[in-house]
């Protein structure tokens, strides 16, 4: 089994500092490093993990997840953070590919900004990803789905992953129009969806049965080969 989405961090802030002046007191839980992750996953039969750069703690400094991948190259691959507003985005993407970076996380949240898909650097990311096969992984809200769909139309060769069911129901309400918008994106054959983050969607209470109709609709739209467990 492959876990398609895990975050890790370390208390070694001297080597791997946090952004925005955060300290070890801001870490929650206080520690979740790569050895702790492996100790949890491997006894359960999860042999490989995709590490997702954790923007709130490390911004686009991917040092720690790259360190983890060098330590356990047979276990980890990385979805890195990148600043599309800086020059040389495409060159950096290509440079990171042999380091185990098989995708890049994009989002309007860290930092919050409008028209986030319209920068020259973002266009370069989508264009280069079509060549390298690195996935563009979208942490978005349902309102962002039409804009992402437009980018998929423009760059049909770019692999795209929608994180966390597009956060449908993050505010506590699962709206049919949002579910329909996510399912409509399935017409873009390069798009996959992560069935994940149940703790943050809908009623946010285990066993999360209120999410079953949403998951059923997404399963029927995308099929099992285009869904990821995380």
């Amino acid at each position: 089994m492959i876990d398609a989405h895990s975050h890790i961090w370390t208390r070694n802030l001297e080597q791997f500092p946090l952004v925005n002046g955060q300290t070890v007191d801001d870490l929650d839980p206080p520690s979740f490093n790569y050895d702790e992750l492996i100790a949890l996953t491997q006894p359960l039969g999860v042999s490989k993990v995709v590490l997702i750069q954790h923007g709130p703690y490390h911004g686009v400094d991917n040092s720690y997840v790259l360190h983890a991948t060098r330590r356990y190259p047979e276990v980890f691959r990385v979805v890195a953070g990148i600043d599309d507003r800086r020059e040389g985005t495409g060159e950096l993407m290509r440079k990171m590919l042999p380091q185990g970076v098989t995708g890049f996380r994009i989002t309007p949240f860290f930092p919050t900004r409008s028209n986030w898909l319209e920068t020259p650097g973002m266009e370069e990311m989508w264009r280069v990803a079509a060549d390298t096969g690195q996935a563009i992984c979208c942490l978005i809200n349902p309102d962002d789905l039409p804009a992402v769909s437009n980018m998929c139309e423009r760059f049909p060769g770019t692999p795209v992953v929608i994180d966390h069911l597009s956060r449908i129901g993050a505010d506590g309400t699962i709206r049919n129009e949002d579910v329909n918008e996510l399912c409509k994106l399935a017409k873009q054959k390069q798009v996959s969806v992560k069935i994940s983050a149940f703790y943050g969607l809908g009623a946010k209470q285990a066993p999360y049965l209120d999410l079953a109709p949403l998951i059923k609709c997404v399963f029927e739209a995308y099929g099992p080969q285009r869904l990821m467990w995380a």
Side-chain angles (χ1 to χ4, degrees):
M1 290 188 291
I2 299 172
D3 178 359
H5 192 115
S6 277
H7 299 293
I8 56 172
W9 50 87
T10 174
R11 296 175 68 83
N12 179 6
L13 302 192
E14 182 176 345
Q15 187 175 358
F16 305 105
L18 303 175
V19 295
N20 302 323
Q22 296 179 97
T23 71
V24 291
D25 294 333
D26 296 301
L27 298 175
D28 184 20
S31 177
F32 194 61
N33 59 44
Y34 51 74
D35 285 321
E36 291 171 306
L37 173 60
I38 288 175
L40 286 174
T41 56
Q42 290 199 340
L44 299 174
V46 178
S47 59
K48 300 182 185 298
V49 180
V50 181
L51 300 176
I52 311 297
Q53 172 68 0
H54 196 41
Y57 286 167
H58 291 291
V60 294
D61 180 357
N62 302 285
S63 301
Y64 188 56
V65 287
L66 293 177
H67 172 73
T69 304
R70 288 193 299 270
R71 177 69 177 83
Y72 294 106
E74 73 285 359
V75 175
F76 295 134
R77 290 296 180 268
V78 168
V79 169
I82 197 168
D83 189 349
D84 60 280
R85 298 166 297 180
R86 300 183 63 178
E87 293 185 5
T89 299
E91 180 182 354
L92 180 59
M93 292 171 64
R94 296 181 188 277
K95 180 180 178 181
M96 297 175 79
L97 181 58
Q99 300 178 56
V101 176
T102 54
F104 293 90
R105 195 176 215 196
I106 64 171
T107 180
F109 304 145
F110 313 121
T112 301
R113 56 193 175 121
S114 59
N115 302 322
W116 60 289
L117 283 172
E118 299 177 8
T119 68
M122 185 65 72
E123 294 197 6
E124 184 178 4
M125 285 187 68
W126 286 68
R127 184 171 60 252
V128 170
D131 183 41
T132 63
Q134 292 163 303
I136 299 297
C137 302
C138 307
L139 176 63
I140 57 175
N141 286 328
D143 291 348
D144 299 301
L145 286 167
V148 169
S149 180
N150 180 59
M151 293 294 280
C152 292
E153 293 277 1
R154 295 177 57 198
F155 301 96
T158 301
V160 176
V161 178
I162 304 299
D163 283 355
H164 304 332
L165 292 161
S166 189
R167 288 172 39 85
I168 291 173
D171 63 355
T173 301
I174 299 174
R175 298 173 179 83
N176 289 335
E177 56 266 31
D178 293 340
V179 178
N180 292 338
E181 197 68 39
L182 177 58
C183 291
K184 187 168 67 175
L185 187 61
K187 69 181 181 181
Q188 308 291 349
K189 298 303 181 183
Q190 74 273 39
V191 176
S192 300
V193 176
K194 287 179 186 171
I195 305 295
S196 53
F198 296 170
Y199 59 86
L201 306 178
K204 305 179 178 67
Q205 294 290 327
Y208 312 112
L209 296 182
D210 62 306
L211 302 181
L214 162 61
I215 294 169
K216 183 175 186 291
C217 288
V218 172
F219 178 87
E220 291 174 347
Y222 287 86
Q225 298 304 317
R226 293 166 63 192
L227 301 180
M228 299 181 186
W229 170 77

